[in-house]
Amino acid sequence: MYLSVKGLAKSFGEQKVLKNIDVGIEKGKVLSIIGPSGSGKTTLLRCLNALEQPNSGIYSFEDGFKLDFEQKITKQDILRLRRKSGMVFQSYNLFPHKTAIENVTEGPYIVQKRNKAEVKEHAEGLLEKVGLKDKLNLYPHQLSGGQQQRVGIARALAMEPELMLFDEPTSALDPELIGEVLKVIKDLAKENWTMVIVTHELQFAEEVSDEVLFMDGGYIVEQGHPKEVLRAPKEERTKQFLQRILNPL
Ligand SMILES: Nc1ncnc2c1ncn2[C@@H]1O[C@H](COP(=O)(O)OP(=O)(O)O)[C@@H](O)[C@H]1O
Ligand SMILES: [Mg+2]
């Protein structure tokens, strides 16, 4: 197990958004999360990389690093947690005044203070890997949504994370651009990246995932093999959700 999370809870004011979640992330495996809007999927990902601090929860990493959010957490702990994962956002979040390659090299230069020539070479390789070898010097507004999101993926990879987190990476894209982004993620799965992916792309989830987890109302309602959860769900709430996204009208 790469990471085991026990008793994760998060509230915003009075609103309990995550209610005592237990989740395990296996090394080299893909865990997909599905669930209705507002069920807490984004908050869960943000808690996993400390963009949000949980109210409670115990994180145990395979390397022995352990965090208990009911105890005192230091800045160092948060930084160490944050360094472990790379996040790909729904809305790309690229720097608009930086080129594709500058977006990818920024983190390693500024945050990690790595050797410039080495970082640049690595970034070129990553942009080539996501199919953007000939777009290195273009700005985000000169790229399609699919291309921008692929820069977003290269940017997260550039920090050499142990875990990749994707928050609905294709939901802001025009339908014809979704495939090119999903392909990049499938390629990463083949390379055995450890990944957690929030998605509404059910066919993709079925193909790429080792496990699928259905969330509703801040709880994990059901989890298991993709074929079970997506094709033969046991819980009524899972059935209803799948019905709704398969037959949106
Ligand atoms: N920073 C925040 N402040 C207050 N409420 C928030 C914040 N982030 C999320 N929420 C609330 O938490 C709930 C779950 O949100 P979210 O995790 O974004 O769900 P999902 O990604 O499944 O749509 C929603 O009701 C949302 O309004
Ligand atoms: Mg969300």
Side-chain angles (χ1 to χ4, degrees):
M1 190 70 74
Y2 167 71
L3 166 63
S4 151
V5 172
K6 297 260 183 243
L8 173 59
K10 175 70 183 172
S11 297
F12 293 108
E14 295 289 289
Q15 189 193 3
K16 289 186 176 147
V17 173
L18 299 178
K19 302 165 184 165
N20 202 30
I21 290 205
D22 292 344
V23 61
I25 299 170
E26 304 255 15
K27 185 160 186 154
K29 299 282 163 98
V30 178
L31 172 66
S32 291
I33 301 176
I34 60 171
S37 178
S39 57
K41 306 179 300 296
T42 294
T43 304
L44 173 58
L45 285 192
R46 291 173 63 84
C47 283
L48 289 178
N49 89 339
L51 287 171
E52 299 288 353
Q53 189 159 332
N55 299 107
S56 68
I58 298 175
Y59 291 15
S60 311
F61 286 90
E62 62 168 9
D63 64 6
F65 179 46
K66 199 168 171 174
L67 271 181
D68 179 349
F69 284 94
E70 279 181 314
Q71 308 295 320
K72 192 168 159 35
I73 301 284
T74 65
K75 260 203 177 122
Q76 269 77 10
D77 289 331
I78 295 291
L79 286 175
R80 185 165 173 194
L81 179 59
R82 199 162 287 165
R83 273 201 301 272
K84 286 184 169 289
S85 59
M87 181 95 139
V88 175
F89 301 89
Q90 184 173 347
S91 51
Y92 334 131
N93 290 9
L94 299 179
F95 298 112
H97 302 299
K98 291 187 187 292
T99 61
I101 188 142
E102 287 167 354
N103 266 281
V104 177
T105 55
E106 176 81 2
Y109 284 166
I110 306 292
V111 181
Q112 298 180 327
K113 306 208 172 16
R114 274 155 55 195
N115 174 279
K116 289 224 170 181
E118 225 176 81
V119 166
K120 184 154 181 285
E121 198 181 317
H122 184 209
E124 285 170 1
L126 289 171
L127 283 166
E128 180 171 358
K129 180 190 178 83
V130 300
L132 297 174
K133 187 178 158 59
D134 55 346
K135 310 280 183 205
L136 302 185
N137 298 312
L138 297 187
Y139 289 87
H141 76 270
Q142 299 172 308
L143 299 170
S144 72
Q147 291 166 340
Q148 290 184 54
Q149 189 57 300
R150 286 184 279 143
V151 174
I153 294 171
R155 181 183 54 179
L157 293 171
M159 301 290 278
E160 303 185 315
E162 295 169 1
L163 170 67
M164 284 287 283
L165 305 171
F166 294 85
D167 191 8
E168 300 194 34
T170 61
S171 60
L173 296 175
D174 291 331
E176 72 271 23
L177 303 178
I178 290 176
E180 65 192 51
V181 172
L182 296 183
K183 180 178 179 300
V184 168
I185 302 173
K186 282 185 205 166
D187 289 345
L188 295 176
K190 281 187 204 131
E191 292 174 14
N192 296 319
W193 280 83
T194 309
M195 302 198 277
V196 180
I197 308 173
V198 175
T199 184
H200 292 298
E201 298 291 332
L202 298 185
Q203 195 190 332
F204 163 73
E206 183 171 341
E207 284 170 36
V208 80
S209 312
D210 297 284
E211 190 174 15
V212 173
L213 191 157
F214 171 67
M215 271 183 82
D216 195 10
Y219 290 105
I220 296 173
V221 172
E222 182 161 3
Q223 70 189 98
H225 191 274
K227 289 243 176 326
E228 285 167 24
V229 176
L230 297 171
R231 296 205 176 256
K234 293 191 183 72
E235 300 293 331
E236 199 51 43
R237 280 197 280 175
T238 319
K239 288 179 195 167
Q240 282 173 8
F241 172 74
L242 291 171
Q243 284 284 326
R244 252 186 289 136
I245 51 174
L246 293 172
N247 306 304
L249 303 178

